[in-house]
Amino acid sequence: MKNYFSKNASILLITVGLMSCAQEQQRSKAESDVKAQTVSSIEKYQAYTQAYTSNTVLTQNHATGHVGDLFFTHWKDGGSTSLALDTEGDFSVSWEGGGYNYVGGPGWHSGKKNRVIGYRFNEDSGATYITLYGWGYDKNMPTSNPAHLVEYYILQRWTYDPSRDGSFGKTFVSNGVEYSTYRSLRTQQPSINSTSTFYQYWSKPSQQRELGQDYEINFADHVKAWADTGWIIPNMNNFDASDDPTYQVMAVEVFNPGKDGTASGRVWDASSQ
């Protein structure tokens, strides 16, 4: 009986081991396929997309790509602004005063509804917005419907109040912070899909976030709050738009800055922490 059990136990262990090995191989292959597909798809933006394995500084008008595992966007329509990045998520934006618009920062080449974003800002000389920022796009919706393309902001610090230009949605609490939502319409303005008419969704906290502290943004709470008033974000994980993927980044935005300034911080994915 003892020998019989040992023999069958051995067979069982071997079988389980083989199954685990096969499952691991399937999982590895699936991950490789996703990475290959991502690389192949993102090459569509090869005019801008670059990959860096060490610290870098961007000064051109438009650049997207990766520094280490993090995606970045860097866009301006004039003026002088630079974005410094490292592979660990630290970044710094420096700008000169002038009549132009800039937005940039690190994050991910796609948005995820359940992502928890960790960040810390140590310096802010008066950026227009410090915000979680991203896009959703549905190429199958008619372009006459502004909801086919959505630019979203979850503000953390600001010098311009977007609520003056938007329609109020609702007030809700996420991570102990009270936010109010707004929606505004952009008519024939620059976007990730050329010049388009689209919606902007906003979440604005009742108080600005302090510098020098670690914070988390539960993105799903904001998606739900927007949806509660009928403001749905289209697909946040595609390469269908003409100019950029549907990225999600912790961004610094300045428009028509009156003087030179700097904002610096760090971003990370806190979903599994």
Side-chain angles (χ1 to χ4, degrees), residues 113-141:
K113 177 181 177 180
N114 294 319
R115 180 177 283 136
V116 178
I117 298 90
Y119 82 88
R120 177 188 185 94
F121 265 85
N122 298 313
E123 186 177 11
D124 174 22
S125 300
T128 307
Y129 303 126
I130 289 179
T131 179
L132 182 68
Y133 171 71
W135 293 85
Y137 175 59
D138 185 345
K139 66 179 181 180
N140 297 315
M141 290 179 66

Side-chain angles (χ1 to χ4, degrees), residues 1-13:
M1 185 69 176
K2 182 178 180 180
N3 291 337
Y4 175 80
F5 176 81
S6 298
K7 179 180 179 181
N8 281 274
S10 299
I11 293 173
L12 177 61
L13 289 173

